[in-house]
């Protein structure tokens, strides 16, 4: 296990991607050189060593030494011979993204999904399993079982690490789940990383599902090609993933992105967090259902009454969306109100973060589409400063469980050695800008 994996496995993740204090300058220079070579082969694959020398400002001896190292660990492959230009035909090198892999696992809608990806975050294999358990410990044991199933057909030595996406408050540095109000898990700290690493012997990183969903949207959804993105997960709770320069911004204690607890009504109802008038009290799934029931009671002709045969306790956000799509005025008004409160809260976040894209994701954001997006955008346009507003595309999310699992695998890749060598090159280039 290399230095960075050891640090991750032992509980000291290297969040900064920088040149950590245990990395000597010689090691750092070697890492940057390795990154330059690997990136050049990746961009121009297949490529000969002499062509490679034109793309990398290193001596031929250094390039040759690094190429040997990368051939040894399988990241590069000799891939035939180039066309002759007069002398011996040169050997071609190709980049092998499947030489190493990552695993991601998450739970969503009573389903645990694990995914295996290559180094580029491309999915190679999915493994879903229905989960009907109740406790976080049971969920982690199920996740371990699903990951073992994925690993049955592969050489686990090729897996760099595992990313785990969980609902609730996660201490990323400790790898623990602290609490999940939406799941009713209030019993205390669960040592998720320790449980996963003891069972699977692979370095593990644990994060809140909303943060990881943002990475999934970048990898396979509407956020492809975006470096600065705000992803808002709207479900039973509301929380955001902040993507800052291609990486997740966790904040000082892993809680960056708790937009659901922004006050939108100063003297509004009491929230589970202890504050009054939080966004979650107006735009979460349970808040929307409660509002729809109240509206339908006051509207004898509402489609929401017909669709539930008068038993309004059967209303769900799916049914409310169906009624709104059929033109039911009360259902449309409920969605407009939720979007208005989302717009009030998110205009503040756009002013602060100035992202390229704002995604309304999570189960409600994805399935409601324009019904929620349009009133949210209307309110954001009323309240946001012109410069951040004009920079941000505001869209509905496009990925759910599988996309979140891919985001978890991408998070694992971002915190393991192989990605560090790419990142260090970026840092080095930034230093000269
Ligand atoms: Zn709150």
């Amino acid at each position: 296990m290399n230095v960075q994996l050891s640090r991750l496995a032992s509980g000291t993740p290297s969040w900064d991607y920088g040149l950590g204090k245990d990395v000597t300058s010689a090691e750092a220079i070697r890492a940057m050189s390795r990154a330059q070579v690997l990136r050049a082969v990746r961009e121009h694959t297949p490529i000969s060593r002499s062509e490679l020398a034109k793309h990398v400002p290193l001596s031929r001896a250094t390039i040759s030494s690094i190429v040997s190292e990368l051939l040894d660990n399988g990241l590069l492959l000799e891939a035939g011979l180039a066309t002759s230009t007069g002398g011996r035909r040169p050997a071609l090198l190709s980049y092998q993204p499947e030489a190493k892999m990552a695993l991601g696992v998450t739970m969503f809608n009573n389903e645990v999904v694990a995914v295996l990806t290559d180094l580029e975050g491309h999915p190679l294999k999915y493994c879903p399993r229905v989960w009907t358990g109740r406790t976080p410990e049971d969920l982690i044991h199920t996740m371990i079982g699903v990951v073992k199933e994925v690993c049955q057909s592969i050489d686990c030595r090729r897996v760099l690490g595992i990313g785990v996406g969980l609902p609730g408050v996660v201490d990323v540095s400790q790898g623990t789940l602290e609490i999940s109000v939406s799941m009713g898990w209030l019993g205390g700290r669960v040592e998720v990383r320790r449980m996963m690493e003891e069972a699977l012997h692979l370095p593990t990183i644990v994060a809140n599902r909303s943060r990881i969903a943002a990475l999934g949207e970048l990898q396979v959804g509407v956020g492809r090609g975006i470096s600065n993105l705000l992803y808002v997960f709207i479900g039973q709770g509301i929380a955001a993933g902040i993507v800052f320069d291609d990486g997740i911004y966790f904040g000082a204690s892993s809680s960056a992105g708790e937009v659901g607890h922004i006050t939108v009504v100063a003297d509004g109802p009491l929230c589970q967090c202890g504050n009054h008038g939080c966004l979650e009290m107006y735009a979460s799934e349970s808040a929307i259902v409660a509002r729809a029931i109240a509206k339908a009671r006051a509207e004898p002709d509402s489609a929401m009454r017909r669709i539930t045969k008068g038993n309004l306790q059967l209303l769900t956000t799916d049914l409310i969306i169906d009624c709104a799509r059929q033109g039911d005025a009360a259902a449309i008004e409920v969605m407009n109100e939720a979007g208005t409160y989302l717009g009030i809260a998110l205009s503040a976040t756009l002013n602060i973060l100035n992202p390229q894209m704002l995604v309304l994701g999570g189960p409600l954001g994805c399935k409601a589409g324009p019904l929620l997006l349009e009133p949210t955008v209307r309110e954001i346009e009323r309240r946001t400063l012109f410069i951040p507003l004009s920079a941000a595309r505001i869209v509905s999310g496009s990925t759910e469980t599988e996309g979140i699992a891919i985001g978890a695998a991408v998070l694992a890749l971002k915190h393991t050695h192989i990605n560090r060598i790419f990142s260090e090159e970026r840092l080095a280039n930034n230093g000269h800008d």
Side-chain angles (χ1 to χ4, degrees), residues 183-205:
M183 299 296 293
W185 297 338
L186 312 173
R189 169 174 290 202
V190 181
E191 296 195 24
V192 179
R193 187 172 65 208
R194 182 186 59 74
M195 292 170 70
M196 298 287 288
E197 290 183 345
E198 283 180 3
L200 299 163
H201 308 291
L202 285 168
T204 301
I205 179 164

Side-chain angles (χ1 to χ4, degrees), residues 118-141:
D118 67 12
L119 283 177
E120 301 291 314
H122 299 139
L124 303 171
K125 186 178 179 183
Y126 289 106
C127 185
R129 186 181 295 177
V130 173
W131 181 69
T132 54
R134 291 183 169 273
T135 67
E137 289 83 0
D138 179 70
L139 174 63
I140 304 310
H141 288 304

